[in-house]
Amino acid sequence: MQSTNRTSSSSSFSSSAAASFASTHDFEDGKWLYQLSCVETFMPLAADVTPVEEDDSGSSEHPVAKLEHSPNFSSIYGVYRSLRNHLIYTPMIPSPGQRCGYGELSPVIQAIHTSAARWFLLLAFALRQCTSNYTVWKDRRDVLMSPTVLEQATRDALPDLPVPAAILSRTTSDAEKQTALRELDERQEKLRLTSQHWLPARADIAWEGRISPWRAVHWELTAVGCFTRLYHKNFQLWHHRKELLMYALEQSPSHHECDGVESRKTPLLATQETFSDYLRRHHGLDFADVDERPTLHVVLGNEDGKNYHAWLHLSWYLHVFSFLVTPPSQEALRRHAEVKTDAVTSQGEGLCFTACSNWIASSEGAEAMALHPTLPSSPLTDELQFTAQLIYRDCRNNSAWCHRLALLREALVRRLWRQLCSGEFRGAVGTPSPDEDWQCTVRVICSEELDYSIQWLYVDPTNEAAYTHARSVSLLYHTLTTRRHVWAAERAMKDGSEELQRYLADAPLITPVALAHSQLCSNAEAGTVFPSTHVLHLLGDRQRRVPWGTYVESFSLLHYMQRALDTVIRPRAAELEEQAARILHSTAANNARTFLGQAPKPQAIAALNSLYERSSQYMLDNLHQVDTAQYSACQAKLEEMWLTYMDAAQRRRVQQLRPPEAYREGIRPEWLEPYPWCEPEKSVTGVSGQEYHPDAAVLDFIAYEAAAVSKAKQLTLTDPIRLKYWKGEVLNVIFRSYGPPA
């Protein structure tokens, strides 16, 4: 039995490791791709093949442009079209226990009436001529998914080159024969070197006497890795890798016998150790051999950090191999929450944002604070650290921010939510109930992530990706708080709906408004919109029963974000704007150009360089983004309150206290002094000072509405490019155009 000395892959792949991995493969990638560029290496193998020209019968008589292919392309694809007629396909038979899908099953090769090794090698040459040819990529997968054909496609099955006629001829001189023989040996050696990488040996794809799907997939992923790293924007490459991994998983059992004990069967993908043990026992591989993260991290870390196809592939890969994003244990999260809570309590002022001076600049050899983990050690933390490294390189990398939010929401928060719903979440000793401990843990997780994004806003107050991330995390906490109360109240009721509890446990972790809008039905004749199921009707009713104090608490992180924007980020934006104006005025005063055509003075160049080292023209033109973020936060809360919390009587009360006509004369100063997020107690206490005033929700809504109108009007001046948009937003807020209540 063959064995492997590879150890399990580490749960993270640092940027330095990615750089080392990339530099190691740069030279080899070029060498392997150059081998496929030498078409003359393959063409002697096709001496017996009659090339087939491209069929132009279906093309227009007067094409817009006539394609002129290179001689190499025409030669390779002429042979490809000819040999493809030698393939016989048959419907794929599902694996044992696998359900058949609807429609026709994907075909695989049943037989090939030519050399399988020559065909497989030809496909590599064809890809070099056109890397986006889906049919060629599919043909490669068909070979790999057909064990009988793949067994014949090894490098030792590759036919020898035909002997030149000069060697066999009796009339050729000995010198000419020696020359022809030497040329044949050179071509044969060149073909051998090419086939070393582009054709598998039997040992590469077989294990214990049979073809192993995982070994075949591992070989192919390694072979086409040079294509992936060089042509990383090519969707077909990532699709090819995904299809191969899915094929290998379909050929694998759902459970694995740990240590060979029948009674110790566990789900195959439960942990990395279980999956690695299965690969070692049955395929002679380790998880590191099929780990896609090194390739993905090289592409995203060194080549293109915003590559949509690579991010999509990474998201799918982490979803399938979910053990790669295993969050910290409940105990680790609880200890982490206790430490953070004690630190906040010791300050005596609650949550208060403080800008970190060494956020992006390391001091005394210490790592920059932006690269410090926000969670206890775990595979999920390592994956979050990868996004932190990409954001550190480019804080406007929206793809990295979106991936980070998805990891936080789906891999961590959703798991904690399901643990609470299933009763698996255990509170600490001494806590009144697991619910309170869970709420504290979630609050610390969200507040830590919120601080992370606000710190980046201090670095660049125009970073829309960081603003969106901060608002999304704040609203995630709002969603969890209100949903937990509704779920707990429904569970405590004797006649509570079990269907609603199940729905809440599995529903997407999006705001109540987004959840309601995602499942609406419409009646075109009546012109009405209504929830699609009675569960959503019931959910809307239950959300309006959430106590006002709990509802205010659900927005506490949103209020905290808005206070940080007002007290820290706005002054920071004003500071940067003042610095930029001072430098530009100074440059103009120094007569940067005394007359047309003269170069600027060195002092002016130095001043401008110092400005643009810290900022960009985009940043200088978008310092109003802090007001945009404030408006977006206000608008989000207004929409949530109007559609999912306030009842019809409260909405009528809003119309009475603040009719739209009241805004015609402008915003009164007393409506904005102070802003509603500056005094959280104002939302809980009514005008008479009594707790839970009947009009508390109405007064809070009106206060936020005035703030939203004020911000939108301000943005009509500071963001003139979107003047029409902001005028529309002003009208939407004034006339409360939020749509039908849930």
Side-chain angles (χ1 to χ4, degrees):
M1 178 183 294
Q2 301 178 33
S3 62
T4 177
N5 294 324
R6 294 184 177 90
T7 57
S8 298
S9 65
S10 62
S11 56
S12 65
F13 194 74
S14 66
S15 58
S16 59
S20 174
F21 184 87
S23 61
T24 302
H25 283 79
D26 280 347
F27 173 75
E28 293 181 341
D29 288 351
K31 180 182 69 175
W32 292 328
L33 291 173
Y34 176 74
Q35 290 175 346
L36 297 181
S37 298
C38 300
V39 174
E40 65 275 7
T41 302
F42 177 83
M43 290 310 294
L45 279 176
D48 60 330
V49 179
T50 302
V52 175
E53 297 297 326
E54 187 174 7
D55 184 10
D56 295 332
S57 59
S59 61
S60 172
E61 295 182 4
H62 305 286
V64 176
K66 185 177 181 181
L67 297 179
E68 293 290 343
H69 298 299
S70 66
N72 285 348
F73 182 96
S74 300
S75 299
I76 288 295
Y77 272 88
V79 176
Y80 168 76
R81 297 185 197 99
S82 178
L83 292 183
R84 201 169 191 275
N85 295 326
H86 294 244
L87 276 63
I88 299 177
Y89 287 89
T90 185
M92 180 183 290
I93 301 176
S95 303
Q98 180 189 356
R99 293 184 178 181
C100 296
Y102 295 101
E104 295 183 359
L105 295 171
S106 301
V108 292
I109 303 172
Q110 181 184 25
I112 178 171
H113 299 304
T114 185
S115 168
R118 180 175 66 172
W119 170 248
F120 202 33
L121 183 60
L122 171 64
L123 295 176
F125 278 90
L127 285 176
R128 187 67 184 97
Q129 298 300 318
C130 181
T131 57
S132 300
N133 192 323
Y134 171 81
T135 306
V136 179
W137 284 110
K138 179 65 169 61
D139 286 339
R140 281 191 73 86
R141 289 197 295 276
D142 287 344
V143 173
L144 292 160
M145 296 179 185
S146 307
T148 304
V149 177
L150 180 60
E151 196 169 12
Q152 304 169 24
T154 56
R155 66 178 72 124
D156 54 346
L158 188 67
D160 293 329
L161 293 177
V163 179
I167 297 177
L168 301 177
S169 175
R170 296 181 179 181
T171 60
T172 306
S173 65
D174 291 342
E176 291 175 334
K177 288 184 178 181
Q178 288 296 329
T179 301
L181 186 60
R182 185 169 57 254
E183 292 176 353
L184 175 62
D185 291 341
E186 290 175 357
R187 290 197 298 268
Q188 193 72 47
E189 177 63 15
K190 197 173 182 180
L191 181 62
R192 185 189 68 80
L193 292 175
T194 302
S195 64
Q196 286 290 324
H197 181 77
W198 294 107
L199 284 179
R202 178 170 175 78
D204 294 331
I205 58 175
W207 181 254
E208 295 183 340
R210 60 180 179 82
I211 298 297
S212 162
W214 277 107
R215 291 187 73 87
V217 168
H218 162 58
W219 178 86
E220 174 69 358
L221 294 180
T222 304
V224 301
C226 54
F227 278 105
T228 308
R229 288 182 287 272
L230 185 60
Y231 302 104
H232 47 80
K233 291 185 181 293
N234 187 340
F235 165 73
Q236 298 298 341
L237 290 160
W238 300 110
H239 179 71
H240 182 67
R241 301 179 79 91
K242 176 182 176 181
E243 288 290 316
L244 288 174
L245 289 168
M246 291 176 63
Y247 159 73
L249 285 170
E250 289 172 357
Q251 304 302 311
S252 305
S254 59
H255 288 70
H256 172 59
E257 298 176 6
C258 295
D259 301 325
V261 181
E262 176 72 22
S263 60
R264 292 191 58 194
K265 277 192 173 183
T266 58
L268 181 64
L269 300 180
T271 64
Q272 182 173 330
E273 291 72 21
T274 301
F275 186 53
S276 288
D277 183 67
Y278 163 76
L279 291 177
R280 281 192 295 269
R281 289 175 178 273
H282 300 283
H283 302 279
L285 295 173
D286 192 85
F287 177 68
D289 297 312
V290 294
D291 192 355
E292 287 284 82
R293 291 174 301 167
T295 299
L296 283 161
H297 288 187
V298 165
V299 170
L300 294 172
N302 296 350
E303 302 295 339
D304 182 7
K306 302 175 183 178
N307 189 319
Y308 171 77
H309 302 306
W311 280 114
L312 196 65
H313 188 70
L314 178 59
S315 298
W316 169 83
Y317 187 76
L318 295 177
H319 174 73
V320 173
F321 298 94
S322 56
F323 54 74
L324 295 174
V325 287
T326 302
S329 64
Q330 290 184 20
E331 183 60 30
L333 289 172
R334 186 180 298 111
R335 289 197 301 268
H336 178 72
E338 289 174 355
V339 171
K340 297 298 179 181
T341 303
D342 292 343
V344 172
T345 305
S346 64
Q347 296 176 358
E349 299 179 356
L351 283 176
C352 182
F353 176 78
T354 303
C356 181
S357 58
N358 59 338
W359 182 250
I360 59 175
S362 56
S363 58
E364 299 179 358
E367 191 177 39
M369 291 298 295
L371 297 176
H372 283 205
T374 56
L375 291 174
S377 178
S378 69
L380 173 61
T381 308
D382 295 331
E383 191 62 31
L384 287 172
Q385 283 303 99
F386 172 63
T387 66
Q389 291 166 0
L390 294 181
I391 292 172
Y392 183 77
R393 296 180 185 181
D394 178 9
C395 64
R396 293 194 184 95
N397 187 341
N398 188 56
S399 299
W401 283 104
C402 290
H403 185 67
R404 186 179 180 90
L405 178 64
L407 288 174
L408 182 76
R409 183 181 61 229
E410 300 302 327
L412 177 58
V413 174
R414 176 170 291 282
R415 182 172 296 200
L416 288 174
W417 170 246
R418 285 177 173 168
Q419 287 175 350
L420 179 67
C421 294
S422 62
E424 297 176 4
F425 189 87
R426 299 288 182 261
V429 178
T431 54
S433 69
D435 288 16
E436 295 183 9
D437 201 13
W438 183 89
Q439 184 72 23
C440 177
T441 301
V442 169
R443 181 182 174 85
V444 168
I445 290 171
C446 292
S447 61
E448 282 283 290
E449 190 65 19
L450 183 57
D451 272 345
Y452 174 84
S453 54
I454 298 177
Q455 291 286 359
W456 276 113
L457 288 174
Y458 186 80
V459 174
D460 181 359
T462 66
N463 189 343
E464 292 184 61
Y467 281 120
T468 302
H469 187 78
R471 185 174 67 254
S472 299
V473 172
S474 303
L475 293 177
L476 176 62
Y477 179 71
H478 159 70
T479 300
L480 292 167
T481 302
T482 55
R483 186 173 296 187
R484 181 185 72 88
H485 181 86
V486 171
W487 176 83
E490 199 68 18
R491 184 183 59 172
M493 294 173 59
K494 292 183 179 180
D495 57 344
S497 170
E498 294 184 1
E499 186 179 1
L500 177 58
Q501 294 178 50
R502 289 194 301 269
Y503 176 78
L504 289 176
D506 298 327
L509 290 178
I510 53 180
T511 60
V513 165
L515 187 63
H517 286 174
S518 66
Q519 299 189 36
L520 288 179
C521 292
S522 61
N523 187 332
E525 296 180 358
T528 58
V529 180
F530 52 90
S532 58
T533 65
H534 74 282
V535 173
L536 290 176
H537 273 290
L538 187 60
L539 177 59
D541 175 68
R542 296 295 189 261
Q543 284 170 342
R544 292 183 174 87
R545 299 186 186 183
V546 175
W548 176 240
T550 302
Y551 195 71
V552 171
E553 161 60 21
S554 72
F555 283 112
S556 59
L557 292 189
L558 187 72
H559 299 162
Y560 165 65
M561 180 195 77
Q562 292 184 281
R563 289 195 296 273
L565 294 181
D566 258 358
T567 59
V568 180
I569 306 304
R570 172 181 288 281
R572 173 64 172 166
E575 175 190 354
L576 294 174
E577 190 172 21
E578 182 182 352
Q579 288 178 1
R582 186 167 59 250
I583 291 174
L584 293 175
H585 280 300
S586 174
T587 302
N590 287 335
N591 294 323
R593 294 178 181 271
T594 55
F595 58 86
L596 186 63
Q598 182 176 348
K601 292 183 178 180
Q603 300 92 327
I605 295 176
L608 291 174
N609 285 342
S610 66
L611 171 64
Y612 284 102
E613 282 176 1
R614 300 192 306 270
S615 58
S616 64
Q617 190 62 53
Y618 174 84
M619 179 177 177
L620 298 178
D621 293 339
N622 285 272
L623 289 168
H624 61 266
Q625 287 297 332
V626 61
D627 294 316
T628 303
Q630 286 284 26
Y631 170 79
S632 299
C634 292
Q635 198 273 342
K637 182 174 181 179
L638 290 172
E639 187 178 39
E640 289 291 328
M641 292 185 67
W642 186 264
L643 295 181
T644 65
Y645 188 74
M646 299 171 69
D647 56 25
Q650 289 173 316
R651 289 192 291 272
R652 286 194 299 269
R653 181 65 173 157
V654 168
Q655 298 284 10
Q656 293 172 359
L657 293 179
R658 187 70 55 79
E661 295 77 14
Y663 290 103
R664 288 181 177 177
E665 299 178 359
I667 306 294
R668 298 179 185 176
E670 59 268 22
W671 293 354
L672 303 175
E673 295 179 357
Y675 280 119
W677 53 82
C678 295
E679 292 186 0
E681 293 77 10
K682 182 179 178 181
S683 298
V684 182
T685 308
V687 291
S688 63
Q690 297 177 358
E691 191 175 9
Y692 304 121
H693 188 275
D695 279 344
V698 173
L699 296 175
D700 193 69
F701 182 90
I702 290 175
Y704 260 88
E705 184 178 78
V709 173
S710 173
K711 291 297 179 184
K713 285 189 173 183
Q714 181 180 346
L715 285 163
T716 60
L717 302 176
T718 57
D719 187 13
I721 294 178
R722 297 197 296 171
L723 175 63
K724 186 175 181 180
Y725 169 80
W726 289 119
K727 284 185 175 181
E729 289 300 299
V730 170
L731 294 177
N732 288 338
V733 175
I734 289 176
F735 292 100
R736 298 158 190 135
S737 305
Y738 301 114

